[in-house]
Amino acid sequence: MVYGFIGLGNMAGAILRGMAGSGNFSCDTLCGFNRSPEKTQNLAQEIGLVPCESAKEVAEKADVLVLGVKPQMLPEVLEPIKGAIHPDKLVVTIAAGKGFSFYASYFGENVPLVRVMPNICAQVLCSASAVCPNAACRPEQVELVRAMFRSVGEVYDIPEAQFSAFSALGGASGAFVQMYIDALSSAGVKAGLSRALAQKIACQATLGAAKLCQETGEHPMALVDKVTSPGGTTIEGVHVLKKQGFESAVIEAVNAIIEKDRRLG
Ligand SMILES: NC(=O)c1ccc[n+]([C@@H]2O[C@H](COP(=O)([O-])OP(=O)(O)OC[C@H]3O[C@@H](n4cnc5c(N)ncnc54)[C@H](OP(=O)(O)O)[C@@H]3O)[C@@H](O)[C@H]2O)c1
């Protein structure tokens, strides 16, 4: 089984590193092509990726073809390779905002295609990736794609109609978390900690809290209850966040992303 990647940027590079590092995919089955040759050369040196001379060569060699370019580059990439894409290939796309009908206009509806929405945390093997197959996919093909993306984090089966909601929650929310870490670090600096130490503490506290919620499966507010002793200090901070509209700010931010995504789609 040959896995071919067209576009070897941040996301495709992270997926390839994850696949190679997992030990479940032999490096000589991973090939790719990128517009600027340095990224292909770097991955060839780093993980043993087999370099290709063109997108067409990748499309011809691959059993599983991964489209790793930006959505606006897709027409330029798909037009010259569409003749090489037939129903015995499996196409995987990570491009945001392009639905099945867009790809069907190039390959028809009989080519198995899986839409995947990973996030940038794939770089540290902690992506939350949504997976959605078209009607031409067989169950074992979907499982193969799940296995690829499990090598860079968690995988969720999400219907195409919910991709906008997933993108906001699983992808864009990463920016909110970074903003929260920055604000927490600044609060630490205000309280006299060095910026570097405050950031380390903010990262670890955020990571730990997420892990606690994930591993216990408890409702987050039950965990808040456990750390707010009556008349204590933490409840003072929780009260201020509630008064300042913390929850509605987050909900409105997610809504704004979903609405914009739908307008663009
Ligand atoms: N980054 C994220 O957080 C994220 C999350 C979810 C989904 N995605 C999706 O992932 C895809 C890639 O995003 P990215 O962040 O990895 O972007 P990126 O780092 O810019 O990677 C895109 C790569 O495609 C290459 N490329 C452009 N045109 C090409 C062509 N005609 N033939 C071959 N290679 C070509 C670019 O080469 P050059 O080196 O020449 O520029 C670049 O290396 C996008 O569709 C995006 O929607 C990204």
Coordinates of all heavy atoms in Angstrom, one line a residue, residues 42-142:
N42 N 13.8 17.7 2.9 CA 13.9 17.6 4.3 C 13.2 16.3 4.8 O 13.7 15.6 5.7 CB 13.2 18.8 5.0 CG 14.0 20.0 4.8 OD1 15.2 19.9 4.4 ND2 13.5 21.2 5.1
L43 N 12.0 16.0 4.3 CA 11.2 14.8 4.7 C 11.9 13.5 4.2 O 11.9 12.5 4.9 CB 9.8 14.9 4.3 CG 8.9 15.8 5.1 CD1 7.6 16.2 4.4 CD2 8.6 15.2 6.5
A44 N 12.6 13.6 3.1 CA 13.3 12.5 2.6 C 14.4 12.1 3.5 O 14.7 11.0 3.9 CB 13.8 12.7 1.2
Q45 N 15.1 13.2 4.0 CA 16.3 13.0 4.9 C 15.8 12.5 6.3 O 16.3 11.6 6.9 CB 17.1 14.3 5.0 CG 18.1 14.4 4.0 CD 18.8 15.8 4.0 OE1 18.6 16.6 4.9 NE2 19.6 16.0 3.0
E46 N 14.7 13.2 6.7 CA 14.3 13.0 8.1 C 13.6 11.7 8.3 O 13.9 10.9 9.3 CB 13.3 14.2 8.5 CG 13.2 14.4 9.9 CD 12.1 15.5 10.2 OE1 12.1 16.5 9.4 OE2 11.3 15.3 11.1
I47 N 12.6 11.3 7.4 CA 11.8 10.1 7.7 C 11.9 9.1 6.6 O 11.3 8.0 6.6 CB 10.3 10.4 7.9 CG1 9.7 11.1 6.7 CG2 10.1 11.3 9.2 CD1 8.2 11.0 6.7
G48 N 12.7 9.4 5.5 CA 12.9 8.4 4.4 C 11.8 8.5 3.4 O 11.5 7.5 2.7
L49 N 11.0 9.6 3.4 CA 10.0 9.8 2.4 C 10.6 9.6 1.0 O 11.7 10.1 0.7 CB 9.4 11.2 2.5 CG 8.4 11.6 1.4 CD1 7.0 11.3 1.9 CD2 8.5 13.1 1.1
V50 N 9.8 8.9 0.1 CA 10.3 8.7 -1.3 C 9.9 10.0 -2.1 O 8.7 10.2 -2.2 CB 9.7 7.4 -1.9 CG1 10.1 7.3 -3.3 CG2 10.0 6.2 -1.0
P51 N 10.9 10.7 -2.6 CA 10.5 12.0 -3.3 C 9.9 11.7 -4.7 O 10.4 10.8 -5.4 CB 11.8 12.8 -3.4 CG 12.9 11.8 -3.1 CD 12.3 10.6 -2.5
C52 N 8.9 12.5 -5.1 CA 8.4 12.4 -6.5 C 8.7 13.7 -7.2 O 8.9 14.8 -6.6 CB 6.9 12.1 -6.4 SG 6.5 10.5 -5.8
E53 N 8.7 13.6 -8.5 CA 9.0 14.8 -9.4 C 7.8 15.7 -9.7 O 8.0 16.8 -10.1 CB 9.6 14.3 -10.7 CG 11.0 13.7 -10.6 CD 12.0 14.6 -10.0 OE1 12.1 15.8 -10.4 OE2 12.8 14.1 -9.1
S54 N 6.6 15.2 -9.5 CA 5.4 15.9 -9.8 C 4.2 15.4 -9.1 O 4.2 14.2 -8.6 CB 5.1 15.8 -11.3 OG 4.7 14.5 -11.6
A55 N 3.1 16.2 -9.0 CA 1.9 15.8 -8.4 C 1.3 14.5 -9.2 O 0.8 13.6 -8.6 CB 0.9 16.9 -8.4
K56 N 1.5 14.6 -10.5 CA 1.0 13.5 -11.3 C 1.7 12.2 -11.0 O 1.0 11.1 -10.9 CB 1.2 13.8 -12.8 CG 0.5 12.9 -13.8 CD 0.0 13.7 -15.0 CE -0.9 12.8 -15.9 NZ 0.0 12.0 -16.7
E57 N 3.0 12.2 -10.7 CA 3.7 11.0 -10.4 C 3.2 10.5 -9.0 O 3.0 9.2 -8.9 CB 5.2 11.3 -10.2 CG 6.1 10.0 -10.0 CD 7.5 10.3 -9.7 OE1 8.0 11.4 -10.0 OE2 8.2 9.5 -9.0
V58 N 2.9 11.4 -8.1 CA 2.3 10.9 -6.8 C 1.0 10.2 -7.0 O 0.7 9.1 -6.5 CB 2.1 12.1 -5.8 CG1 1.5 11.6 -4.5 CG2 3.4 12.8 -5.5
A59 N 0.1 10.9 -7.8 CA -1.2 10.4 -8.1 C -1.2 9.0 -8.8 O -2.0 8.2 -8.5 CB -2.0 11.4 -8.9
E60 N -0.2 8.8 -9.6 CA -0.1 7.5 -10.3 C 0.4 6.4 -9.4 O -0.1 5.3 -9.4 CB 0.8 7.7 -11.5 CG 0.1 8.4 -12.7 CD 1.0 8.9 -13.8 OE1 2.3 8.7 -13.7 OE2 0.5 9.4 -14.8
K61 N 1.4 6.8 -8.5 CA 2.0 5.8 -7.6 C 1.1 5.4 -6.5 O 1.1 4.3 -6.0 CB 3.3 6.4 -7.0 CG 4.6 6.1 -7.8 CD 5.7 6.5 -6.9 CE 7.0 6.3 -7.7 NZ 8.1 7.0 -7.1
A62 N 0.3 6.4 -6.0 CA -0.3 6.2 -4.7 C -1.6 5.3 -4.8 O -2.3 5.4 -5.7 CB -0.8 7.5 -4.1
D63 N -1.7 4.4 -3.7 CA -3.0 3.7 -3.5 C -3.9 4.7 -2.7 O -5.1 4.7 -2.9 CB -2.8 2.4 -2.8 CG -1.8 1.5 -3.5 OD1 -2.2 1.1 -4.7 OD2 -0.7 1.2 -3.0
V64 N -3.2 5.3 -1.8 CA -4.0 6.3 -0.9 C -3.3 7.7 -1.2 O -2.2 7.9 -0.9 CB -3.8 6.0 0.6 CG1 -4.6 7.0 1.4 CG2 -4.3 4.6 0.9
L65 N -4.1 8.6 -1.8 CA -3.6 9.9 -2.2 C -4.1 11.0 -1.2 O -5.3 11.2 -1.1 CB -4.1 10.2 -3.6 CG -3.7 11.6 -4.1 CD1 -2.2 11.7 -4.3 CD2 -4.4 11.9 -5.5
V66 N -3.1 11.6 -0.6 CA -3.5 12.7 0.4 C -3.3 14.0 -0.2 O -2.2 14.4 -0.6 CB -2.7 12.5 1.7 CG1 -3.1 13.6 2.7 CG2 -2.8 11.1 2.3
L67 N -4.4 14.9 -0.2 CA -4.3 16.2 -0.8 C -3.9 17.1 0.4 O -4.8 17.4 1.3 CB -5.6 16.6 -1.4 CG -6.0 15.7 -2.6 CD1 -7.4 16.0 -3.0 CD2 -5.0 15.8 -3.7
G68 N -2.7 17.7 0.4 CA -2.2 18.5 1.6 C -2.0 19.9 1.3 O -1.3 20.6 2.0
V69 N -2.6 20.4 0.1 CA -2.4 21.8 -0.2 C -3.5 22.7 0.3 O -4.5 22.1 0.8 CB -2.3 22.0 -1.8 CG1 -1.1 21.2 -2.3 CG2 -3.6 21.6 -2.5
K70 N -3.3 24.0 0.3 CA -4.4 24.9 0.8 C -5.6 24.8 -0.2 O -5.4 24.5 -1.4 CB -3.9 26.4 0.7 CG -2.7 26.6 1.7 CD -3.3 27.0 3.1 CE -2.2 27.5 4.0 NZ -2.6 27.4 5.4
P71 N -6.8 25.0 0.4 CA -8.0 24.9 -0.5 C -8.0 25.6 -1.8 O -8.4 25.1 -2.8 CB -9.1 25.4 0.5 CG -8.6 25.3 1.8 CD -7.1 25.4 1.8
Q72 N -7.4 26.8 -1.7 CA -7.4 27.7 -3.0 C -6.5 27.1 -4.1 O -6.6 27.4 -5.2 CB -7.1 29.1 -2.7 CG -5.8 29.4 -2.1 CD -5.7 29.4 -0.6 OE1 -6.5 28.7 0.0 NE2 -4.7 30.0 0.0
M73 N -5.6 26.2 -3.7 CA -4.6 25.6 -4.6 C -5.2 24.3 -5.3 O -4.7 23.8 -6.2 CB -3.3 25.2 -3.9 CG -2.5 26.3 -3.4 SD -2.2 27.6 -4.6 CE -1.2 26.7 -5.8
L74 N -6.3 23.8 -4.7 CA -6.9 22.5 -5.2 C -7.2 22.5 -6.7 O -6.8 21.6 -7.4 CB -8.1 22.1 -4.4 CG -7.8 21.5 -3.0 CD1 -9.0 21.4 -2.2 CD2 -7.1 20.2 -3.1
P75 N -7.9 23.5 -7.3 CA -8.2 23.4 -8.7 C -6.9 23.3 -9.5 O -6.8 22.4 -10.4 CB -8.9 24.8 -9.0 CG -9.5 25.2 -7.7 CD -8.5 24.7 -6.7
E76 N -5.8 24.0 -9.2 CA -4.6 23.9 -9.9 C -3.9 22.6 -9.8 O -3.3 22.0 -10.7 CB -3.6 25.0 -9.4 CG -2.3 25.2 -10.1 CD -1.5 26.2 -9.4 OE1 -2.0 27.4 -9.2 OE2 -0.3 26.0 -9.1
V77 N -4.1 21.9 -8.6 CA -3.5 20.6 -8.4 C -4.3 19.5 -9.0 O -3.8 18.6 -9.6 CB -3.3 20.4 -6.8 CG1 -3.0 18.9 -6.5 CG2 -2.3 21.3 -6.3
L78 N -5.7 19.6 -8.9 CA -6.5 18.5 -9.3 C -6.7 18.4 -10.8 O -6.7 17.3 -11.4 CB -7.9 18.7 -8.7 CG -8.0 18.5 -7.1 CD1 -9.4 18.7 -6.6 CD2 -7.4 17.2 -6.7
E79 N -6.7 19.5 -11.5 CA -7.0 19.5 -13.0 C -6.0 18.5 -13.7 O -6.4 17.6 -14.4 CB -6.9 20.9 -13.5 CG -7.5 21.1 -14.9 CD -8.9 20.5 -15.1 OE1 -9.8 20.8 -14.2 OE2 -9.1 19.8 -16.1
P80 N -4.6 18.7 -13.5 CA -3.7 17.8 -14.2 C -3.6 16.4 -13.7 O -3.1 15.5 -14.4 CB -2.3 18.5 -14.0 CG -2.5 19.5 -13.0 CD -3.9 19.8 -12.7
I81 N -4.2 16.1 -12.5 CA -4.0 14.7 -12.0 C -5.4 13.9 -12.2 O -5.4 12.7 -11.9 CB -3.6 14.6 -10.6 CG1 -4.6 15.3 -9.6 CG2 -2.2 15.3 -10.4 CD1 -4.3 14.9 -8.1
K82 N -6.4 14.6 -12.6 CA -7.8 13.9 -12.4 C -7.8 12.7 -13.3 O -8.5 11.7 -12.9 CB -8.9 14.9 -12.7 CG -9.0 15.4 -14.1 CD -10.1 16.4 -14.2 CE -10.3 16.8 -15.7 NZ -11.3 17.9 -15.9
G83 N -7.1 12.6 -14.4 CA -7.1 11.4 -15.3 C -6.5 10.2 -14.6 O -6.7 9.1 -14.9
A84 N -5.6 10.4 -13.5 CA -5.0 9.3 -12.8 C -5.8 8.8 -11.6 O -5.4 7.9 -10.9 CB -3.6 9.8 -12.3
I85 N -6.9 9.5 -11.4 CA -7.7 9.1 -10.2 C -8.9 8.3 -10.6 O -9.8 8.8 -11.3 CB -8.3 10.4 -9.5 CG1 -7.1 11.4 -9.2 CG2 -9.0 10.0 -8.2 CD1 -6.0 10.9 -8.3
H86 N -8.9 7.0 -10.3 CA -10.1 6.2 -10.6 C -10.5 5.4 -9.3 O -9.9 5.5 -8.3 CB -9.8 5.2 -11.7 CG -8.3 5.0 -12.0 ND1 -7.6 4.2 -11.2 CD2 -7.4 5.6 -12.8 CE1 -6.3 4.2 -11.6 NE2 -6.2 5.0 -12.6
P87 N -11.7 4.7 -9.4 CA -12.3 4.1 -8.2 C -11.4 3.1 -7.4 O -11.8 2.8 -6.3 CB -13.6 3.5 -8.8 CG -13.9 4.2 -10.0 CD -12.6 4.6 -10.6
D88 N -10.3 2.7 -8.0 CA -9.5 1.8 -7.2 C -8.4 2.5 -6.3 O -7.6 1.9 -5.6 CB -8.8 0.7 -8.0 CG -8.0 1.3 -9.2 OD1 -8.0 2.5 -9.3 OD2 -7.3 0.5 -9.9
K89 N -8.5 3.9 -6.4 CA -7.7 4.7 -5.5 C -8.5 5.2 -4.3 O -9.7 5.3 -4.5 CB -7.1 5.9 -6.2 CG -6.3 5.6 -7.4 CD -5.0 6.2 -7.4 CE -4.2 5.9 -8.7 NZ -2.8 5.5 -8.5
L90 N -7.9 5.5 -3.2 CA -8.6 6.2 -2.1 C -8.0 7.6 -2.0 O -6.8 7.7 -1.8 CB -8.3 5.3 -0.8 CG -8.8 5.9 0.5 CD1 -10.3 6.2 0.5 CD2 -8.4 5.0 1.7
V91 N -8.9 8.6 -2.0 CA -8.4 10.0 -1.9 C -8.7 10.5 -0.5 O -9.8 10.2 0.0 CB -9.0 10.9 -3.0 CG1 -8.5 12.3 -2.8 CG2 -8.7 10.4 -4.4
V92 N -7.7 11.1 0.1 CA -7.9 11.7 1.5 C -7.7 13.2 1.3 O -6.6 13.6 0.8 CB -7.0 11.1 2.5 CG1 -7.1 11.8 3.9 CG2 -7.1 9.6 2.6
T93 N -8.6 14.0 1.8 CA -8.4 15.5 1.7 C -8.4 16.1 3.1 O -9.3 15.7 3.9 CB -9.4 16.2 0.8 OG1 -9.1 17.6 0.9 CG2 -10.8 15.9 1.1
I94 N -7.5 17.0 3.4 CA -7.5 17.7 4.7 C -7.9 19.1 4.5 O -7.8 19.9 5.4 CB -6.1 17.5 5.4 CG1 -5.0 18.1 4.6 CG2 -5.8 16.1 5.8 CD1 -3.6 18.2 5.3
A95 N -8.3 19.5 3.3 CA -8.6 20.9 3.0 C -9.8 21.3 3.7 O -10.9 20.7 3.6 CB -8.7 21.1 1.5
A96 N -9.8 22.5 4.3 CA -10.9 23.1 5.0 C -11.9 23.6 4.0 O -11.5 24.1 2.9 CB -10.5 24.2 5.9
G97 N -13.2 23.4 4.3 CA -14.3 24.2 3.5 C -14.7 23.6 2.2 O -15.6 24.1 1.6
K98 N -14.0 22.5 1.7 CA -14.5 22.0 0.4 C -15.2 20.7 0.6 O -14.6 19.7 1.2 CB -13.2 21.7 -0.5 CG -12.4 22.9 -0.8 CD -13.1 23.7 -1.9 CE -12.2 24.9 -2.4 NZ -12.9 26.0 -3.0
G99 N -16.5 20.6 0.2 CA -17.3 19.4 0.4 C -17.1 18.4 -0.7 O -16.4 18.6 -1.6
F100 N -17.8 17.2 -0.5 CA -17.7 16.1 -1.4 C -18.0 16.6 -2.9 O -17.4 16.1 -3.8 CB -18.6 15.0 -1.0 CG -18.2 14.3 0.2 CD1 -19.1 13.9 1.2 CD2 -16.9 13.9 0.4 CE1 -18.7 13.3 2.4 CE2 -16.4 13.3 1.5 CZ -17.4 13.0 2.5
S101 N -19.0 17.5 -3.0 CA -19.5 17.8 -4.4 C -18.3 18.5 -5.1 O -18.2 18.3 -6.4 CB -20.7 18.7 -4.3 OG -20.4 19.8 -3.5
F102 N -17.5 19.2 -4.4 CA -16.3 19.9 -5.1 C -15.4 18.8 -5.7 O -15.0 19.0 -6.9 CB -15.5 20.7 -4.1 CG -14.2 21.2 -4.6 CD1 -14.2 22.4 -5.4 CD2 -13.0 20.5 -4.3 CE1 -12.9 22.8 -5.9 CE2 -11.8 21.0 -4.8 CZ -11.8 22.1 -5.6
Y103 N -15.1 17.8 -5.0 CA -14.2 16.7 -5.5 C -14.9 15.9 -6.6 O -14.2 15.5 -7.6 CB -13.7 15.8 -4.4 CG -12.9 16.6 -3.3 CD1 -13.6 17.1 -2.2 CD2 -11.6 17.0 -3.5 CE1 -12.9 17.9 -1.3 CE2 -10.9 17.7 -2.6 CZ -11.6 18.2 -1.5 OH -10.9 18.9 -0.6
A104 N -16.2 15.7 -6.4 CA -17.0 14.9 -7.4 C -16.9 15.6 -8.8 O -16.9 15.0 -9.8 CB -18.4 14.7 -7.0
S105 N -16.8 17.0 -8.8 CA -16.7 17.7 -10.1 C -15.4 17.4 -10.8 O -15.3 17.6 -12.0 CB -16.9 19.2 -9.8 OG -15.8 19.7 -9.2
Y106 N -14.4 16.8 -10.1 CA -13.2 16.4 -10.8 C -13.1 14.9 -11.1 O -12.7 14.5 -12.2 CB -11.9 16.8 -9.9 CG -11.7 18.3 -9.9 CD1 -12.3 19.1 -8.9 CD2 -10.9 18.9 -10.9 CE1 -12.1 20.4 -8.9 CE2 -10.7 20.3 -10.9 CZ -11.3 21.0 -9.9 OH -11.1 22.4 -9.9
F107 N -13.5 14.1 -10.1 CA -13.3 12.6 -10.2 C -14.6 11.9 -10.4 O -14.5 10.7 -10.6 CB -12.7 12.0 -8.9 CG -11.6 12.8 -8.3 CD1 -11.5 13.1 -6.9 CD2 -10.5 13.3 -9.1 CE1 -10.5 13.8 -6.3 CE2 -9.5 14.0 -8.5 CZ -9.4 14.2 -7.1
G108 N -15.7 12.5 -10.3 CA -17.0 11.8 -10.3 C -17.3 11.3 -8.9 O -16.5 11.5 -8.0
E109 N -18.4 10.6 -8.8 CA -18.9 10.2 -7.4 C -18.4 8.8 -7.0 O -18.7 8.3 -5.9 CB -20.4 10.3 -7.3 CG -20.7 11.8 -7.2 CD -22.2 12.1 -7.1 OE1 -23.0 11.1 -7.2 OE2 -22.5 13.2 -7.0
N110 N -17.8 8.0 -8.0 CA -17.4 6.7 -7.6 C -16.0 6.5 -7.0 O -15.6 5.4 -6.7 CB -17.5 5.8 -8.9 CG -19.0 5.7 -9.4 OD1 -19.9 5.9 -8.6 ND2 -19.1 5.6 -10.7
V111 N -15.3 7.6 -6.9 CA -13.9 7.5 -6.3 C -14.1 7.6 -4.8 O -14.7 8.6 -4.3 CB -13.0 8.6 -6.9 CG1 -11.7 8.7 -6.1 CG2 -12.7 8.4 -8.3
P112 N -13.6 6.6 -4.0 CA -13.7 6.7 -2.6 C -12.9 7.9 -2.1 O -11.7 8.1 -2.5 CB -13.0 5.4 -2.1 CG -12.9 4.5 -3.3 CD -12.9 5.4 -4.5
L113 N -13.5 8.7 -1.3 CA -12.8 9.9 -0.8 C -13.2 10.1 0.7 O -14.4 9.9 1.1 CB -13.3 11.1 -1.6 CG -12.7 12.5 -1.3 CD1 -12.3 13.1 -2.6 CD2 -13.6 13.4 -0.5
V114 N -12.2 10.5 1.5 CA -12.5 10.7 2.9 C -12.0 12.1 3.2 O -10.9 12.5 3.0 CB -11.7 9.7 3.8 CG1 -12.0 10.0 5.3 CG2 -12.0 8.3 3.5
R115 N -13.0 12.9 3.8 CA -12.6 14.2 4.3 C -12.1 14.1 5.7 O -12.7 13.4 6.5 CB -13.8 15.2 4.3 CG -14.2 15.8 3.0 CD -15.3 16.8 3.2 NE -14.8 18.0 3.9 CZ -15.6 19.1 4.2 NH1 -16.9 19.0 4.0 NH2 -15.0 20.1 4.8
V116 N -10.9 14.7 6.0 CA -10.4 14.7 7.3 C -10.1 16.1 7.8 O -9.6 16.9 7.0 CB -9.1 13.8 7.4 CG1 -8.6 13.8 8.8 CG2 -9.3 12.4 6.9
M117 N -10.5 16.4 9.0 CA -10.1 17.8 9.5 C -9.2 17.6 10.8 O -9.7 17.3 11.8 CB -11.4 18.5 9.9 CG -11.2 19.9 10.3 SD -10.2 20.9 9.2 CE -11.0 20.7 7.7
P118 N -7.9 17.6 10.5 CA -7.0 17.5 11.7 C -6.8 18.9 12.3 O -7.4 19.8 11.8 CB -5.7 17.0 11.0 CG -5.7 17.5 9.6 CD -7.2 17.8 9.3
N119 N -5.9 19.0 13.3 CA -5.5 20.3 13.8 C -4.0 20.4 14.0 O -3.3 19.4 13.9 CB -6.3 20.8 15.0 CG -5.9 20.1 16.3 OD1 -4.8 19.7 16.5 ND2 -6.9 20.0 17.2
I120 N -3.5 21.6 14.2 CA -2.1 21.8 14.2 C -1.3 21.0 15.3 O -0.2 20.8 15.2 CB -1.8 23.4 14.3 CG1 -0.4 23.7 13.9 CG2 -2.2 23.9 15.7 CD1 0.0 23.5 12.5
C121 N -2.1 20.6 16.3 CA -1.5 19.8 17.4 C -1.1 18.4 16.9 O -0.4 17.7 17.7 CB -2.4 19.7 18.6 SG -2.9 21.3 19.3
A122 N -1.3 18.1 15.6 CA -0.8 16.9 15.0 C 0.8 17.0 15.1 O 1.4 15.9 15.2 CB -1.2 16.8 13.6
Q123 N 1.3 18.2 15.2 CA 2.8 18.3 15.3 C 3.3 17.7 16.6 O 4.5 17.4 16.7 CB 3.2 19.8 15.2 CG 3.0 20.4 13.8 CD 3.5 21.8 13.7 OE1 4.1 22.4 14.6 NE2 3.2 22.5 12.6
V124 N 2.5 17.7 17.6 CA 2.9 17.0 18.9 C 2.0 15.8 19.2 O 1.9 15.4 20.4 CB 2.8 18.1 20.1 CG1 3.9 19.1 20.0 CG2 1.5 18.7 20.2
L125 N 1.5 15.2 18.1 CA 0.8 13.9 18.2 C -0.5 14.0 19.0 O -0.9 13.1 19.6 CB 1.7 12.8 18.7 CG 3.0 12.6 18.0 CD1 3.7 11.4 18.5 CD2 2.9 12.5 16.4
C126 N -1.1 15.3 19.1 CA -2.3 15.5 19.9 C -3.4 16.1 19.1 O -4.2 16.9 19.6 CB -1.9 16.4 21.1 SG -1.3 15.5 22.5
S127 N -3.5 15.8 17.8 CA -4.6 16.3 17.0 C -5.9 15.8 17.4 O -6.0 14.6 17.9 CB -4.3 16.0 15.5 OG -5.4 16.4 14.7
A128 N -7.0 16.6 17.2 CA -8.3 16.0 17.3 C -8.8 16.0 15.8 O -8.9 17.1 15.2 CB -9.2 16.9 18.1
S129 N -8.9 14.9 15.2 CA -9.2 14.8 13.7 C -10.6 14.2 13.5 O -10.9 13.2 14.0 CB -8.1 13.9 13.0 OG -6.8 14.3 13.3
A130 N -11.3 15.0 12.7 CA -12.7 14.5 12.2 C -12.5 13.7 10.9 O -11.7 14.1 10.1 CB -13.6 15.6 12.0
V131 N -13.2 12.6 10.8 CA -13.1 11.8 9.6 C -14.6 11.6 9.0 O -15.5 11.3 9.8 CB -12.5 10.4 10.0 CG1 -12.8 9.4 8.9 CG2 -11.0 10.5 10.2
C132 N -14.7 11.8 7.7 CA -16.0 11.6 7.1 C -15.9 11.0 5.7 O -15.3 11.7 4.8 CB -16.8 12.9 7.1 SG -18.4 12.8 6.3
P133 N -16.3 9.8 5.5 CA -16.1 9.1 4.1 C -17.3 9.5 3.2 O -18.4 9.8 3.7 CB -16.2 7.6 4.5 CG -17.1 7.5 5.7 CD -16.9 8.8 6.4
N134 N -17.1 9.5 1.9 CA -18.2 9.6 1.0 C -18.8 8.2 0.8 O -18.4 7.2 1.3 CB -17.8 10.3 -0.4 CG -16.9 9.3 -1.2 OD1 -16.6 8.2 -0.9 ND2 -16.6 9.8 -2.4
A135 N -19.9 8.2 0.0 CA -20.7 6.9 -0.2 C -19.9 5.8 -0.9 O -20.3 4.7 -0.8 CB -22.0 7.2 -0.9
A136 N -18.8 6.2 -1.6 CA -18.1 5.2 -2.4 C -17.1 4.4 -1.5 O -16.5 3.4 -2.0 CB -17.4 5.9 -3.5
C137 N -16.9 4.9 -0.3 CA -15.8 4.2 0.6 C -16.3 2.9 1.2 O -17.4 2.8 1.7 CB -15.5 5.2 1.8 SG -14.3 6.4 1.3
R138 N -15.4 1.9 1.2 CA -15.7 0.7 1.9 C -15.2 0.9 3.4 O -14.3 1.7 3.7 CB -14.9 -0.5 1.3 CG -15.4 -0.8 -0.1 CD -14.8 -2.1 -0.6 NE -13.3 -2.2 -0.5 CZ -12.5 -1.7 -1.4 NH1 -12.9 -1.2 -2.5 NH2 -11.2 -1.8 -1.2
P139 N -15.9 0.1 4.3 CA -15.5 0.3 5.8 C -14.0 0.1 6.0 O -13.4 0.8 6.8 CB -16.3 -0.9 6.4 CG -17.4 -1.1 5.5 CD -17.0 -0.9 4.1
E140 N -13.3 -0.8 5.3 CA -11.9 -1.0 5.6 C -11.1 0.2 5.1 O -10.0 0.4 5.7 CB -11.4 -2.4 5.0 CG -11.5 -2.5 3.5 CD -12.8 -3.0 3.0 OE1 -13.8 -2.9 3.6 OE2 -12.8 -3.5 1.8
Q141 N -11.6 0.9 4.1 CA -10.9 2.1 3.7 C -11.0 3.2 4.7 O -10.0 3.9 5.0 CB -11.4 2.6 2.3 CG -11.1 1.6 1.2 CD -11.8 2.0 -0.1 OE1 -13.0 2.3 -0.2 NE2 -11.0 2.1 -1.2
V142 N -12.2 3.3 5.3 CA -12.3 4.3 6.4 C -11.4 4.0 7.6 O -10.8 4.9 8.1 CB -13.8 4.4 6.8 CG1 -14.0 5.6 7.8 CG2 -14.8 4.5 5.6

